[in-house]
Amino acid sequence: MKILEYCPDCGEKSLHWDGEKKWSCPVCNFNLYNNVAGAVAVVIRHDDEVYLTRRVRDPKKGKLDLAGGFVDPKESAEEACKRELFEELQLTVDISKLRYLTSLPNVYQYKEIDYHTIDLFYEYHVPEKFEVNLEASEISEAVWIPLRDLALEDLAFDSQKTFFKAYLNKN
């Protein structure tokens, strides 16, 4: 993980990282907090199958992933689900049919920086299977997988592995 060294307030090479969530500058008393970022993940279901995507870029390039992403400023988690599903899959969803399931902490490493997230999991049932146009997408593949055939080691993120471990026991 990259560590910041220079204070954004006074410019001195004086920032100290507390190892968890805060940088502080002893020269000017500036504090910078590394707060958790909100992210959404949507379990798209048709009967006993889930729709997973394959990541086209790092982190975890080539691994399976739930559709979703970071919540933008001034956006609710449900609005983020709707936006991300449209951006990734060209799927228009009815927010009122999203069902919140749980939240789990996660670490999203991008360009040597650890972004701590709180991943909010939702479920969305579709009446029929669909396919995505990969040319307009952020993904390299999208697949329908029966829940009984889902291999946790194929998933990109630890939060999703933890989630599916519990989800598969309930379904």
Side-chain angles (χ1 to χ4, degrees), residues 39-44 65-71 77 80-81 84-85 98-99 101-102 118-124 159-160 163-164:
V40 296
V42 182
V43 179
I44 300 170
D65 195 6
L66 288 169
F70 286 101
V71 179
C81 290
E84 287 287 349
L85 291 177
L98 284 166
R99 185 170 75 100
L101 299 172
T102 193
I118 185 69
D119 293 351
L120 307 168
F121 290 85
Y122 288 83
E123 186 175 61
Y124 191 77
S159 64
Q160 291 182 17
F163 167 79
F164 271 113

Side-chain angles (χ1 to χ4, degrees), residues 40 42 44 51 53 66-70 75 77-95 98 124 126 130-139:
V40 296
V42 182
I44 300 170
Y51 200 57
T53 63
L66 288 169
F70 286 101
E75 179 178 59
E78 293 78 11
E79 290 167 336
C81 290
K82 181 175 183 170
R83 176 183 50 76
E84 287 287 349
L85 291 177
F86 188 77
E87 286 176 6
E88 292 180 14
L89 306 174
Q90 305 301 302
L91 179 65
T92 302
V93 301
D94 178 352
I95 286 179
L98 284 166
Y124 191 77
V126 293
F130 61 90
E131 298 301 324
V132 66
N133 176 4
L134 293 176
E135 291 178 23
S137 183
E138 303 173 357
I139 58 178

